[in-house]
DNA sequence: GCCGTTTTCGGCCCGACTGTTTTCAGTCG
């Protein structure tokens, strides 16, 4: 049993070790590309190998990579990695992760100082041996030492909601500067990735120096990593790195495209530009001028990087706005959430970009808790919150009795709750309260509520809250059994993961999705930023297998109803349209779909 | 090592900042 993530990790290490060996950089890139493809893949490679599917059909995976993957899956070992590890200590990979240390430095430290581990590097630096190396110096040595300290302190990426908390005051601070005409966050934050590694901020200004000065003087700044004329980089006391770029108006759109990424999306844009005699940089789109005489290039790997030197940028043709930049390479505007090199460029070219679901499309929220279990507000208070958001219906989904520690409801408790729902409903005709429950899937796949009560519910939402670490076969069986219960309508937070805290359960997601589709069970996209479950690539798989999705906040208090945008953003990253999302249906259509009276 | 209506060879994205240099390599995004 091997996860995609482990396969990716091993291939990434191959890339690292090749880099330290000074292998052909394009060969290294090939491994990086494969790692990315695997990271985006919702299907298990293990299963693809078992089914003898053609791995080379995957982007960036050719004969060799397919062979390595197949070998790893079938034998548990990857020959190419074992071989590399005999020649290069694999602990050098950690050294390479330190700031200011790349493959060349790692190699030099190893070859000339015999350093193989971070600890050995620490000793060498403390003894002043690092600064004596040619190409190294006092500052580099100090950077390495402080990097080792950080290395032990913070490694995880930040959840989007955590990043939001840091970003808002910083934006306010920068915007207050008179010379900052426009301030915008780019990077994976703007693409609304579920976690961000750092924050990229773009400022439009004709006076970069004072803006940079204000940036590095931000009170929460712990350390200034770099501060040049147009680029700066700091670490906040929270450990979050923030990069700032200051650009003039004629480059603002190009810079926004460039710093929003993703990297792979940008590479594809640039390739496309080259095909059209243009070159793209963060300064704009320019006509491409080739120098007249092209000398014969030696065929060996060392000469490859000189190719770029032959290109010369000419007249600027675009750059002021993002629309202009995309237009210059013959494309319509592509929204940030789609810029992940998952086919958006070809789709844009064909004029078939999806009409993505929007927050305003949602007509209801299908998971929330009240004081009847672990929620902080009454049913009527939750109702007020939903009415305020313009919803036409919502589901009250308190926990079932298996969650004893928060006093989940048993059959009798649920019956009493029905009484309160009726009372509240009688006072509020403007919105429909759905009688629902978040029913636990027990270890054997049966449900934590008697059949007659399941039948009495308008909407049956089921989920896993225990036995997270069952072996994959049993976990899959458990969920498949639950999905086949005729009363079930929604599978909530299907993988049960908590971002940065708990791994998803180990099961065959493809089988689970297929089973849900077959039994007309909707899959939840849990909008809580701790969960975002299913996640983007898994939702894409769900859509391709014909499953429907609902987006729910899982609110435990009225304020949590405001988490819905996090869900919608992930749905957009998954290319979901209004028609894929059941709670975008108006009240009558929604009730019809689930056969609710 | 991958890829392909300019295909099976010869390409493969682009620029800033730093530290160490004496004109640039390495790293980073």
């Amino acid at each position: 049993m091997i996860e995609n993530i482990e396969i990716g990790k091993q291939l990434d290490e191959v890339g690292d070790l090749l880099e330290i060996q000074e292998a052909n950089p394009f060969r290294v890139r090939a491994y990086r590309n494969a790692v990315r493809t695997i990271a985006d893949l919702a299907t298990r490679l293990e299963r693809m190998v078992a089914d003898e599917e053609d791995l080379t059909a995957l982007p960036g995976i050719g004969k060799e990579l397919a062979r390595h993957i197949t070998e790893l899956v079938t034998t548990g070992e990857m020959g190419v990695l074992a071989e590399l590890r005999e020649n290069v200590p694999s602990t050098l990979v950690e050294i390479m992760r330190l700031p200011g240390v790349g493959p060349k430095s790692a190699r030099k430290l190893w070859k000339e100082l015999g350093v193989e581990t971070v600890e050995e590097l620490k000793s060498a630096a403390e003894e002043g041996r690092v600064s004596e190396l040619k190409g190294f110096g006092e500052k580099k040595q100090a950077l390495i030492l402080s990097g080792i300290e950080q290395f032990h302190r913070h490694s995880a990426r930040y959840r989007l909601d955590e990043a939001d908390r840091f970003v808002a005051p910083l934006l306010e601070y920068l915007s207050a500067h008179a010379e900052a005409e426009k301030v915008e966050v780019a990077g994976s934050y703007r693409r609304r990735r579920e976690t961000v590694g750092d924050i990229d901020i773009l400022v439009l200004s004709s006076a970069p120096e004072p803006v940079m000065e204000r940036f590095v003087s931000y009170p929460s700044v712990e350390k200034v990593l770099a501060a040049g004329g147009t680029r700066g980089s700091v670490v906040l006391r929270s450990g979050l790195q923030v990069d700032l770029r200051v650009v003039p108006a004629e480059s603002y759109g190009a810079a926004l495209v460039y710093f929003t990424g993703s990297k792979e999306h940008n590479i594809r844009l640039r390739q496309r530009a080259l095909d059209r005699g243009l070159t793209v940089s963060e300064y704009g789109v320019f006509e491409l001028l080739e120098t007249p005489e092209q000398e014969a290039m030696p065929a060996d790997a060392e000469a490859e990087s000189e190719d770029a030197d032959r290109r010369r940028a000419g007249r600027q043709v675009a750059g002021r706005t993002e629309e202009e930049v995309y237009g210059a390479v013959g494309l319509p505007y592509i929204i940030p959430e789609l810029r992940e090199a998952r086919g958006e460029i070809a789709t844009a070219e064909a004029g078939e970009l999806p009409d993505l679901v929007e927050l305003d499309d949602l007509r209801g929220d299908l998971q929330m808790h009240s004081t009847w279990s672990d929620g902080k507000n009454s049913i009527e208070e939750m109702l007020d919150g939903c009415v305020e958001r313009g919803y036409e219906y919502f589901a009250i989904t308190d926990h079932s009795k298996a969650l004893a520690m928060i006093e989940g409801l048993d059959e009798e408790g649920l019956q009493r709750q029905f009484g309160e729902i009726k009372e509240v409903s009688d006072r509020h005709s403007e919105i429909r309260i759905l009688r629902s429950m978040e029913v636990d899937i027990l270890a054997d796949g049966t449900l934590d509520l008697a059949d007659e009560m399941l039948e009495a519910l308008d909407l049956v939402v089921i989920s896993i809250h225990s036995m997270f670490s069952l072996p994959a076969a049993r976990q899959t069986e458990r969920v498949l059994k639950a999905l086949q219960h005729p009363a079930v309508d929604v599978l909530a937070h299907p993988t049960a993961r908590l971002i940065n805290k708990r791994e998803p359960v180990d099961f065959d997601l493809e089988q689970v999705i297929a089973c849900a589709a077959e039994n007309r069970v909707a899959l939840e996209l849990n909008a809580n930023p701790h969960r975002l479950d299913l996640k983007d690539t898994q939702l894409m798989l769900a859509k391709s297998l014909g499953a429907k999705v609902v987006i729910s906040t899982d609110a435990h208090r009225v304020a949590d109803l405001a988490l819905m945008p996090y869900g919608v953003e992930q749905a957009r990253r998954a290319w979901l349209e209004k028609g894929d999302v059941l709670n975008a249906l108006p009240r009558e259509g929604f009730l019809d779909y689930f056969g609710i009276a």
Side-chain angles (χ1 to χ4, degrees):
Chain A
M1 184 62 71
I2 186 158
E3 295 287 339
N4 285 359
I5 191 161
E6 176 61 22
I7 297 171
K9 251 171 85 182
Q10 296 206 21
L11 289 174
D12 214 21
E13 188 179 334
V14 171
D16 290 336
L17 296 180
L18 282 173
E19 235 179 344
I20 295 171
Q21 281 202 334
E22 299 181 314
N24 179 342
F26 295 106
R27 188 178 168 210
V28 174
R29 187 186 293 174
Y31 278 90
R32 308 289 186 216
N33 290 341
V35 168
R36 207 193 116 75
T37 292
I38 292 171
D40 270 358
L41 200 63
T43 312
R44 292 173 75 115
L45 283 165
E46 191 178 38
R47 178 196 168 100
M48 293 183 73
V49 169
D51 293 349
E52 294 186 356
E53 282 184 50
D54 181 16
L55 300 183
T56 64
L58 298 170
I61 300 206
K63 234 177 95 187
E64 275 300 292
L65 266 306
R67 197 169 61 77
H68 295 329
I69 294 168
T70 306
E71 183 191 8
L72 177 58
V73 167
T74 52
T75 71
E77 289 261 330
M78 198 184 299
V80 63
L81 180 57
E83 232 169 84
L84 280 166
R85 280 174 172 169
E86 287 193 6
N87 298 320
V88 186
S90 61
T91 45
L92 287 178
V93 169
E94 283 167 34
I95 290 179
M96 250 172 73
R97 300 276 173 269
L98 297 170
V101 183
K104 308 277 179 173
S105 302
R107 181 185 175 84
K108 193 157 194 159
L109 290 163
W110 168 48
K111 287 282 187 189
E112 296 185 24
L113 293 180
V115 162
E116 294 189 1
T117 66
V118 173
E119 282 312 305
E120 286 166 9
L121 176 56
K122 187 167 181 230
S123 307
E126 281 168 352
E127 291 160 17
R129 289 187 284 134
V130 171
S131 61
E132 289 163 13
L133 288 178
K134 190 168 156 59
F136 288 64
E138 289 293 336
K139 289 204 170 171
K140 191 97 176 169
Q141 181 169 272
L143 180 72
I144 287 172
L145 276 174
S146 89
I148 290 173
E149 220 166 283
Q150 297 267 332
F151 177 79
H152 295 300
R153 225 182 58 183
H154 200 279
S155 55
R157 293 170 61 89
Y158 292 81
R159 290 192 318 268
L160 212 37
D161 60 312
E162 294 175 309
D164 276 329
R165 280 203 297 276
F166 295 119
V167 163
L170 178 53
L171 281 186
E172 197 178 321
Y173 171 86
L174 287 172
S175 305
H177 195 281
E179 295 291 349
E181 290 174 45
K182 244 190 225 181
V183 182
E184 202 161 351
V185 187
S188 50
Y189 179 89
R190 183 164 179 247
R191 302 199 310 280
R192 305 314 279 168
R193 267 192 63 172
E194 61 186 38
T195 59
V196 298
D198 59 18
I199 299 292
D200 297 293
I201 297 182
L202 194 63
V203 176
L204 168 58
S205 175
S206 47
E209 293 84 5
V211 173
M212 190 60 69
E213 179 60 31
R214 180 164 177 88
F215 174 58
V216 299
S217 319
Y218 184 55
S220 302
V221 167
E222 180 179 87
K223 197 162 86 174
V224 178
L225 297 175
T230 63
R231 293 186 171 196
S233 195
V234 302
V235 178
L236 303 184
R237 277 198 297 275
S238 58
L240 181 63
Q241 182 172 328
V242 183
D243 298 336
L244 182 80
R245 275 87 176 187
V246 188
V247 298
E250 63 270 23
S251 298
Y252 190 76
L256 197 50
V257 168
Y258 192 61
F259 297 122
T260 297
S262 66
K263 201 174 169 185
E264 291 72 17
H265 176 86
N266 288 341
I267 288 172
R268 295 217 184 2
L269 273 188
R270 285 185 166 156
Q271 283 168 339
R272 192 180 165 84
L274 289 177
D275 292 343
R276 291 161 180 258
L278 299 169
T279 175
V280 178
S281 75
E282 57 262 56
Y283 294 102
V285 183
F286 301 86
E287 286 175 345
L288 188 63
L289 307 175
E290 297 275 343
T291 51
E293 76 284 5
Q294 299 202 355
E295 302 143 46
M297 303 290 287
D300 58 338
E302 277 77 15
E304 282 153 358
S305 60
E306 292 175 24
D307 195 57
D309 298 340
R310 292 209 305 272
R311 297 196 189 106
R312 293 287 179 274
R315 189 177 63 92
Q316 179 172 359
V317 298
R320 201 164 272 276
T321 65
E322 287 192 310
E323 286 80 359
E324 222 181 86
V325 173
Y326 283 102
V329 295
L331 293 175
Y333 177 74
I334 299 175
I335 63 150
E337 291 98 313
L338 290 183
R339 301 181 195 171
E340 295 288 349
R342 293 173 180 162
E344 69 278 8
I345 289 178
T347 310
E349 175 158 42
E352 291 169 358
L353 282 175
D355 186 9
L356 299 173
V357 62
E358 293 174 24
L359 185 60
D360 278 350
D361 292 333
L362 298 189
R363 309 292 184 90
D365 191 336
L366 301 177
Q367 191 187 164
M368 69 189 68
H369 301 260
S370 73
T371 45
W372 283 83
S373 65
D374 60 347
K376 299 286 177 263
N377 291 101
S378 69
I379 292 174
E380 191 155 20
E381 285 164 344
M382 297 308 282
L383 179 144
D384 288 339
C386 288
V387 169
E388 204 175 301
R389 314 198 100 74
Y391 293 154
E392 300 169 15
Y393 50 90
F394 70 100
I396 288 289
T397 57
D398 279 302
H399 288 288
S400 61
K401 60 184 177 294
L403 285 188
M405 62 179 178
I406 54 104
E407 294 185 76
L409 294 175
D410 59 10
E411 284 75 3
E412 191 265 333
L414 181 60
Q415 193 69 60
R416 279 189 289 118
Q417 189 186 45
F418 284 179
E420 179 170 328
I421 288 177
K422 172 137 191 0
E423 279 172 35
V424 177
S425 291
D426 288 345
R427 289 197 292 273
H428 298 275
S429 59
E430 71 272 30
I431 190 166
R432 170 73 188 260
I433 310 178
L434 300 172
R435 296 194 302 189
S436 185
M437 178 176 243
E438 185 182 11
V439 183
D440 258 52
I441 302 174
L442 303 175
D444 61 357
T446 58
L447 301 179
D448 187 30
L449 189 70
D451 277 355
E452 56 270 27
M453 288 308 286
L454 287 169
E455 290 304 326
L457 291 171
D458 293 322
L459 192 76
V460 175
V461 178
I462 61 171
S463 64
I464 289 180
H465 289 107
S466 62
M467 309 285 281
F468 298 111
S469 48
L470 285 181
R474 276 188 63 195
Q475 195 72 274
T476 306
E477 209 180 314
R478 173 191 188 187
V479 177
L480 292 184
K481 179 168 178 188
L483 287 172
Q484 289 168 51
H485 190 293
V488 171
D489 297 305
V490 176
L491 176 62
H493 48 73
T495 77
R497 72 157 177 177
L498 292 174
I499 294 173
N500 286 346
K501 263 197 202 144
R502 183 169 70 214
E503 291 299 308
V505 296
D506 191 6
F507 62 12
D508 189 328
L509 181 66
E510 212 169 335
Q511 273 195 59
V512 166
I513 292 172
C515 182
E518 194 180 327
N519 289 281
R520 257 172 95 87
V521 175
L523 297 166
E524 181 186 87
L525 159 50
N526 192 296
N528 188 303
H530 290 264
R531 290 192 184 269
L532 297 175
D533 179 12
L534 297 174
K535 63 183 224 165
D536 53 4
T537 52
Q538 296 167 335
L539 291 163
M540 293 176 100
L541 180 66
K543 179 170 179 172
S544 75
L545 293 175
K548 292 291 183 190
V549 171
V550 301
I551 310 176
S552 309
T553 59
D554 199 354
H556 283 69
R557 50 175 62 74
V558 172
D560 291 348
L561 295 171
L563 297 175
M564 194 60 101
Y566 289 106
V568 174
E569 288 157 3
Q570 298 307 309
R572 290 163 65 82
R573 288 177 54 80
W575 297 51
L576 296 191
E577 300 178 277
K578 195 174 165 182
D580 301 313
V581 180
L582 292 175
N583 52 324
L585 285 169
R587 178 162 156 173
E588 288 313 313
F590 181 85
L591 296 179
D592 275 356
Y593 184 91
F594 284 108
I596 302 169

